[in-house]
Amino acid sequence: MNIFLVLTFSGVALGAIYFLAASGLSLIYGLMDVLNFAHGLFMTLGAYAGYEIATRLPSSLGAPTLVILAIIGATVVGALAAGVTELILIRPLYGKPISQILITIGLDLAGVGLLMGGFGSTALQIPVPLWLIEPTHIGGLYLPNASFLAIGAGVLVLIGLEMFLALTRYGIIIRAGVENREMVRALGIDVGRAFTLVFVIGGAMAGLAGILYTIVFSGDLVSPNQGDSLLIFAFIVVVIGGLGSIRGSAVAALAVGLLQQYTSFYIGGHSGWAQIGDLSTVLLLAVVLEWRPRGLFGRVA
Amino acid sequence: MTNAVEISDLHVSISGSHVLQGVSFSVPSGGVTALLGRNGVGKTTTLRAILGLVASSGRIQVLGNEVSGWPTHRIVRLGIGYVPEDRDVFSGLTVEQNLRLAESGSGAQYDEVFSLFPELKTRGRQRAGTLSGGQQQMLSIARALLNHRPLLLIDEPSKGLAPKIVSEFAGVLERAAEHSTVLLVEQNLSVVKRLAQRIVVLDHGEVVHRGEVVDLEDPTLVRQLLGVAGAA
Amino acid sequence: MRWPSRRAGLLVGAIVLGLFIVLPFIGLHVPWVLPGTLDIVNSTGTLEVLALCFMFAGVAVGYDMMFGYTGLMSLGPVLYFAVGTYVFDIALTHWGWSLFPSLLVTFGVSLVLAVVLGAIALRVHGIAFAMVTLAFAQAFYFLVESNPHNLTGGDTGLSLSYTRMPSFLSGAVSNTRNLYWVALAFLVVAYLIVWLVTESVTGHVFVAIRENELRLDVLGVRPYRFKLVSFVVSSLIATGGGIVYILVIGTAVPSVVASTTVTLSILIMVVLGGAGTRWGAVVGAMVYVYLQQYLDKVGAEPTFTRLPAVLRVPLSEPQFLLGAIFVLFVFFAPGGIAGLVVRRRFRRASAATLLSAFQGLRKGGGG
């Protein structure tokens, strides 16, 4: 039972990171039809930005401050990278969605290549405070502190995003645009600004996801390809949740995170088949698509 | 008298089929011009081309501006209200939010719109997707009327609605036409006769008739142009 | 002016093919441009790189039939490529089968997988199709990585055993010349298959599906079966490529032969060359693979290591350079190399291909 609860806890933490990675992708796709392969790059950039901040700034600031600055820095760098990408590479190709997808593939390739050249292919270690590595003892359970960080960030972002989408004018424009971009234009609204905004928001969440994944699940290690492997799961989450739906992403991220933790422990742990956790997420995708081709929260035709 | 819309030699192709093949007509300022024709002759495409929602070649002038190649939002900001064929209200947003999106500047005439459609006021918090077809059409028309635009493009407002509601909408559009120019696509001839002064008839992507609404009193012409049995 | 006419195209193709056939006999010394460590045209290193070029060119032209001609953007060709590599490798190495039964079982497995998974994936359209194919391919990657029953060797990979191989193919190093010809033969066969299919009535239906699937439905043609045919034939060609790969390279490692990177590379090759043109895909793949290997070699040379970091880091990283070149192409030459060479004829087709591959993507959803 205890193990089950611990697995649930880390499954929720993993789900929180998947949510951060997937919701931006989902919004970008929903609004602009762009399947953004560069999202993996944004995540990796966030993680490397965090690494640079945590290692370059004077350690006299103290490890907790450094980690907080690293997380903020990762988010900002992700947002900037995505914003610049939208303005320079995506914007000139409006109306050519396939070209936009191809551009993001090329950008991801080039960006990851550059990171490999600059930082090397081997993983780098981010120094983190001891507190993040230690577990908290609650009701007989030892729960890793880093997971609290991921869950907290995931919940805050979910609430913030929902409020933004429900209450602000731009939020409403984005929701309307996901439903029917043409009609938004036909009301005299320049959707282009919403596109940039959605990229910036998505990039910020990607950067955050990148650094949190590093801290929570990869033993504080940063490597050039980590974003791309995370991206695969983000894609799976987006399709299960329904393209364009934030709530769908949240539910699907949770489901995928939990399933992955349970199966890799209960099945993988006994059979020694560690990848069963990863494999199960693809099976879940296949099942969901057979049952609901548009995903859990996808729009009906 | 100037023209609110002037179209000359408009061509549009959609996934390989040549939908509009050199359409030319003008919509004089003031009153209602009806764009008529059988299903699939390109009436909706013409409206969408005016709005820049489909790629076209030829000349399009809207309210004195040559708008070919402009982005849609710029064309609309010249002063167009648009009621699309399928209403296209944002079903995930509330009625209030739908109207808020349509606001431009500070001149939104909420009082007027709510006096035309009191139901929209009481249903402000309801999701547009849960409205009935008639209510969605109200919302769609309200969006177009909210800003007192000088030009209204209205696509089949009566489609799929009960006669009583249709005549209510006709009344609303009649009032709107007092201060706006209306280009109306409509299949219901009694609505056309009630509202329009001028008609333009399309067939197979070309203009086959330009005239006055009285032309619709001629049953042979109506059958020939529209394929329907005489005047109702 | 109408060039290249079909005949001129054939002539150029035949001359180039002839040159490649006799190339292993030419011991020409060419400085600078060769990817092998020796500056000799028929050195082992250069022949091996060219074999890889042919292999990917065959796979790319198969992918072009599905993506460029039929408008299906599958993100899973690597699955069938990896099936070719691994099933063939396992049959020879673990089961000790001889060449022909191994080939037979490899194509058999690929056929069954392509029919079943294709049938499932084609129930959805557009982006959803892309994602589902991506996910299936990823599942195979996870499977291979997990080393079930010690069959695949997991992350360390699986080396090919040559014991049951006919002597003219055994040993990647000693028979590079023969393997070079095998790869070239594979390219020719793949190209002929794609040519025959795309020039047939079936091929015309493919293009019609790409241009306007809905209209076909109205005409009473069921696009589903044709899409499945396109998917399956393209997948089988990818499997052939996987087999050639393991013959040439001799080792299968998941991150190299089964990861999404391979899919994206194939997609890039086809777009770089010009989608929907057949020969464009071949040229795109040759250029891509050649540059990849060549830049890798050049990047390690002393001239480069002495450069300041700002220049050295990007210039010595093939992945960066290829990504950047690709971005430039998508921007400035969306018709790819084919579009640059034969502007008038192909530009329209390629632009239409790209757009129409997307047609109905947003419509997405159930079939």
Side-chain angles (χ1 to χ4, degrees):
Chain A
M1 189 60 196
N2 275 359
I3 286 176
F4 178 77
L5 290 176
V6 170
L7 284 174
T8 306
F9 186 72
S10 63
V12 172
L14 187 58
I17 288 169
Y18 286 162
F19 167 72
L20 291 175
S23 50
L25 267 180
S26 188
L27 268 189
I28 290 170
Y29 177 78
L31 187 66
M32 310 169 61
D33 292 345
V34 176
L35 194 60
N36 180 26
F37 275 85
H39 222 67
L41 175 64
F42 300 157
M43 290 191 250
T44 313
L45 275 178
Y48 275 99
Y51 168 81
E52 283 288 297
I53 289 170
T55 52
R56 295 270 173 118
L57 290 181
S59 53
S60 57
L61 285 171
T65 317
L66 283 177
V67 158
I68 291 167
L69 288 178
I71 291 174
I72 293 172
T75 313
V76 171
V77 166
L80 284 177
V84 169
T85 300
E86 203 281 330
L87 288 173
I88 296 180
L89 293 178
I90 307 291
R91 179 152 297 217
L93 297 172
Y94 281 166
K96 299 178 189 164
I98 284 281
S99 297
Q100 288 175 327
I101 294 173
L102 295 173
I103 278 282
T104 66
I105 291 176
L107 176 66
D108 188 65
L109 203 68
V112 171
L114 213 51
L115 286 174
M116 277 200 276
F119 291 91
S121 304
T122 38
L124 302 170
Q125 180 104 32
I126 296 187
V128 298
L130 212 54
W131 173 85
L132 268 179
I133 301 166
E134 286 170 346
T136 296
H137 191 124
I138 301 174
L141 300 175
Y142 287 94
L143 302 174
N145 286 336
S147 299
F148 283 104
L149 194 65
I151 295 171
V155 170
L156 280 180
V157 168
L158 175 60
I159 293 172
L161 206 55
E162 285 283 350
M163 282 173 60
F164 168 75
L165 289 174
L167 302 176
T168 66
R169 178 168 172 84
Y170 266 105
I172 293 169
I173 291 175
I174 289 170
R175 277 164 64 207
V178 169
E179 250 187 65
N180 186 341
R181 196 172 43 199
E182 255 185 14
M183 193 57 218
V184 175
R185 288 207 181 99
L187 292 176
I189 296 166
D190 179 5
V191 200
R193 283 195 212 156
F195 289 173
T196 314
L197 187 63
V198 161
F199 251 82
V200 168
I201 294 172
M205 290 191 291
L208 183 60
I211 185 79
L212 286 178
Y213 183 79
T214 300
I215 293 175
V216 184
F217 286 100
S218 80
D220 306 318
L221 293 174
V222 189
S223 58
N225 287 308
Q226 71 173 61
D228 287 338
S229 39
L230 202 52
L231 184 68
I232 298 286
F233 293 105
F235 275 157
I236 291 173
V237 166
V238 169
V239 179
I240 291 178
L243 291 154
S245 164
I246 292 297
R247 252 167 247 181
S249 289
V251 172
L254 209 56
V256 169
L258 286 171
L259 179 75
Q260 210 173 356
Q261 293 293 315
Y262 292 148
T263 48
S264 63
F265 181 82
Y266 288 114
I267 303 176
H270 293 289
S271 61
W273 192 11
Q275 276 78 10
I276 183 70
D278 298 344
L279 207 55
S280 65
T281 63
V282 179
L283 292 178
L284 179 66
L285 172 73
V287 171
V288 168
L289 279 180
E290 274 302 294
W291 166 54
R292 289 183 72 121
R294 281 160 187 279
L296 296 176
F297 287 66
R299 288 161 308 214
V300 186
Chain B
M1 191 164 72
T2 58
N3 290 324
V5 179
E6 256 187 62
I7 292 175
S8 53
D9 199 29
L10 183 67
H11 289 261
V12 173
S13 290
I14 297 172
S15 29
S17 47
H18 201 170
V19 182
L20 296 185
Q21 312 178 354
V23 167
S24 304
F25 67 89
S26 50
V27 179
S29 290
V32 177
T33 302
L35 187 57
L36 306 174
R38 297 183 180 89
N39 280 327
V41 295
K43 294 165 295 185
T44 296
T45 304
T46 307
L47 294 194
R48 290 167 54 82
I50 295 172
L51 288 164
L53 289 171
V54 289
S56 61
S57 66
R59 279 184 59 231
I60 303 174
Q61 261 190 26
V62 173
L63 302 168
N65 298 271
E66 182 75 41
V67 299
S68 306
W70 284 24
T72 298
H73 64 93
R74 253 183 91 195
I75 301 174
V76 171
R77 282 181 194 169
L78 291 172
I80 301 179
Y82 175 47
V83 179
E85 190 180 9
D86 298 311
R87 288 146 206 166
D88 285 344
V89 297
F90 301 107
S91 57
L93 305 183
T94 64
V95 170
E96 236 173 62
Q97 289 171 334
N98 266 280
L99 289 172
R100 236 173 99 192
L101 269 189
E103 279 177 26
S104 78
S106 50
Q109 307 287 320
Y110 278 101
D111 292 343
E112 190 184 323
V113 164
F114 286 144
S115 78
L116 289 173
F117 305 115
E119 223 176 317
L120 292 182
K121 192 169 188 182
T122 55
R123 292 180 183 273
R125 292 294 174 94
Q126 194 177 332
R127 270 174 188 261
T130 62
L131 297 173
S132 72
Q135 291 161 343
Q136 290 192 5
Q137 188 62 285
M138 276 179 205
L139 181 53
S140 187
I141 294 174
R143 263 190 330 203
L145 300 184
L146 191 62
N147 301 298
H148 271 208
R149 307 284 205 177
L151 175 63
L152 299 175
L153 306 181
I154 299 177
D155 201 348
E156 297 218 32
S158 71
K159 193 177 171 190
L161 298 178
K164 187 172 158 283
I165 306 178
V166 170
S167 101
E168 189 189 329
F169 285 155
V172 168
L173 295 179
E174 215 163 20
R175 277 178 61 187
E178 286 165 14
H179 51 72
S180 304
T181 306
V182 178
L183 177 57
L184 174 72
V185 170
E186 181 55 72
Q187 301 272 29
N188 184 329
L189 286 188
S190 63
V191 173
V192 173
K193 286 178 191 166
R194 175 170 166 193
L195 294 177
Q197 292 86 48
R198 290 163 301 272
I199 60 169
V200 174
V201 184
L202 292 185
D203 200 9
H204 291 102
E206 290 173 50
V207 174
V208 290
H209 183 82
R210 294 181 195 81
E212 304 291 314
V213 76
V214 290
D215 299 351
L216 294 176
E217 301 301 332
D218 176 359
T220 20
L221 187 74
V222 167
R223 195 174 310 115
Q224 188 191 334
L225 294 177
L226 303 172
V228 290
Chain C
M1 197 166 79
R2 291 183 56 208
W3 77 277
S5 70
R6 166 151 301 185
R7 201 176 295 171
L10 272 177
L11 193 66
V12 172
I15 291 172
V16 172
L17 177 63
L19 278 178
F20 276 130
I21 290 174
V22 300
L23 187 128
F25 298 117
I26 304 170
L28 211 61
H29 180 94
V30 182
W32 297 109
V33 299
L34 295 177
T37 39
L38 296 172
D39 287 334
I40 297 171
V41 167
N42 64 353
S43 69
T44 308
T46 296
L47 287 185
E48 192 176 294
V49 169
L50 285 175
L52 273 185
C53 287
F54 300 148
M55 184 279 290
F56 269 115
V59 174
V61 77
Y63 186 77
D64 191 27
M65 179 177 61
M66 173 170 58
F67 172 68
Y69 281 82
T70 324
L72 293 171
M73 188 161 140
S74 163
L75 290 181
V78 66
L79 168 56
Y80 305 96
F81 180 80
V83 162
T85 308
Y86 273 102
V87 176
F88 187 68
D89 194 350
I90 288 167
L92 281 160
T93 306
H94 284 301
W95 302 337
W97 292 11
S98 57
L99 183 63
F100 285 101
S102 300
L103 282 174
L104 212 62
V105 78
T106 305
F107 280 110
V109 169
S110 173
L111 179 66
V112 171
L113 269 180
V115 169
V116 172
L117 297 182
I120 296 173
L122 285 167
R123 282 167 43 96
V124 292
H125 301 274
I127 289 293
F129 171 75
M131 303 288 246
V132 175
T133 49
L134 177 75
F136 284 149
Q138 197 62 24
F140 190 76
Y141 172 75
F142 292 140
L143 192 69
V144 168
E145 215 192 11
S146 69
N147 194 14
H149 304 289
N150 288 322
L151 272 178
T152 62
D155 279 331
T156 37
L158 179 65
S159 292
L160 182 65
S161 154
Y162 291 94
T163 44
R164 298 297 307 273
M165 197 78 83
S167 59
F168 75 100
L169 288 178
S170 55
V173 177
S174 52
N175 278 312
T176 308
R177 191 186 280 181
N178 294 339
L179 291 168
Y180 168 95
W181 281 318
V182 168
L184 186 56
F186 163 70
L187 168 58
V188 171
V189 171
Y191 195 90
L192 285 178
I193 292 172
V194 172
W195 190 0
L196 289 176
V197 174
T198 49
E199 295 292 319
S200 71
V201 178
T202 308
H204 297 308
V205 178
F206 288 175
V207 175
I209 290 171
R210 178 190 80 192
E211 293 302 330
N212 195 336
E213 191 174 339
L214 286 179
R215 203 191 313 171
L216 271 184
D217 248 341
V218 174
L219 291 174
V221 181
R222 298 282 309 277
Y224 183 84
R225 282 185 187 187
F226 287 92
K227 289 197 283 186
L228 191 58
V229 168
S230 183
F231 184 86
V232 170
V233 175
S234 169
S235 299
L236 287 174
I237 292 174
T239 298
I243 293 171
V244 174
Y245 176 88
I246 190 71
L247 284 173
V248 174
I249 301 296
T251 306
V253 179
S255 60
V256 180
V257 299
S259 77
T260 305
T261 318
V262 181
T263 292
L264 298 184
S265 303
I266 296 168
L267 181 61
I268 289 175
M269 290 169 198
V270 171
V271 174
L272 200 63
T277 62
R278 280 192 308 253
W279 67 271
V282 172
V283 174
M286 303 270 294
V287 168
Y288 184 92
V289 178
Y290 195 89
L291 273 182
Q292 193 177 39
Q293 303 288 330
Y294 177 72
L295 293 171
D296 210 23
K297 174 196 144 191
V298 172
E301 274 177 8
T303 345
F304 269 78
T305 46
R306 276 198 298 273
L307 286 172
V310 205
L311 287 175
R312 190 193 67 230
V313 169
L315 289 180
S316 61
E317 203 51 65
Q319 194 179 329
F320 166 76
L321 290 172
L322 287 168
I325 291 171
F326 180 63
V327 166
L328 291 177
F329 257 88
V330 174
F331 250 100
F332 300 110
I337 297 168
L340 289 177
V341 176
V342 196
R343 279 177 178 272
R344 204 172 58 88
R345 197 171 139 207
F346 288 110
R347 184 183 262 171
R348 239 184 58 228
S350 293
T353 303
L354 292 179
L355 277 176
S356 58
F358 192 74
Q359 288 268 318
L361 284 202
R362 196 179 161 85
K363 288 358 175 220

